[in-house]
Amino acid sequence: QVQLVESGGGSVQAGGSLRLSCAASGTIFSIKNMAWYRQAPGKQRELVAVIDSVGNTNYADSVRGRFTISRDNAKNTVYLQMNSLKPEDTAIYFCNADITDTTWRLKSCWGQGTQVTVSS
């Protein structure tokens, strides 16, 4: 069984910074892509940033230049450094990872979500 546990959400004023972490644990053989998504009230879940196993990254236009995704493969952990936060960044942030477990099954796994609130 595999699980993702997020941490680091909270409330901050506009212009501030937060760092999210997501650690994968369980019967993991390998992890391919790791990503952060977010969902604001009344809106669809959207991709924020993704990083592959060798460190290639991609970002949503709305966060490029302000957010940085990184990962520590030894710790099976992905991070999202969020700078210059705006009220429109307010959402629940979800971690996602493509994980091959020790039975060779590939699963798309999700964390439980962490709330980020940015006040103006």
Side-chain angles (χ1 to χ4, degrees), residues 89-110:
D89 294 318
T90 295
I92 301 174
Y93 284 70
F94 297 90
C95 173
N96 173 265
D98 296 326
I99 296 175
T100 298
D101 66 18
T102 52
T103 66
W104 305 100
R105 287 181 294 186
L106 176 62
K107 303 176 182 179
S108 181
C109 301
W110 291 89

Side-chain angles (χ1 to χ4, degrees), residues 39-57:
Q39 187 166 18
K43 295 188 177 181
Q44 289 189 329
R45 190 172 298 190
E46 64 174 354
L47 177 66
V48 175
V50 59
I51 184 169
D52 68 12
S53 59
V54 296
N56 297 308
T57 60

Side-chain angles (χ1 to χ4, degrees), residues 22-118:
C22 172
S25 62
T27 54
I28 297 170
F29 176 75
S30 65
I31 304 177
K32 191 178 179 183
N33 292 342
M34 302 186 83
W36 288 96
Y37 287 75
R38 67 186 181 187
Q39 187 166 18
K43 295 188 177 181
Q44 289 189 329
R45 190 172 298 190
E46 64 174 354
L47 177 66
V48 175
V50 59
I51 184 169
D52 68 12
S53 59
V54 296
N56 297 308
T57 60
N58 200 10
Y59 297 90
D61 289 342
S62 59
V63 307
R64 187 173 289 114
R66 300 188 296 121
F67 292 9
T68 302
I69 189 170
S70 60
R71 64 190 282 175
D72 184 334
N73 289 333
K75 297 181 179 179
N76 290 331
T77 298
V78 63
Y79 306 95
L80 186 68
Q81 177 66 44
M82 304 185 294
N83 298 329
S84 302
L85 282 161
K86 303 176 181 180
E88 51 263 44
D89 294 318
T90 295
I92 301 174
Y93 284 70
F94 297 90
C95 173
N96 173 265
D98 296 326
I99 296 175
T100 298
D101 66 18
T102 52
T103 66
W104 305 100
R105 287 181 294 186
L106 176 62
K107 303 176 182 179
S108 181
C109 301
W110 291 89
Q112 79 284 358
T114 185
Q115 177 70 46
V116 170
T117 302
V118 184

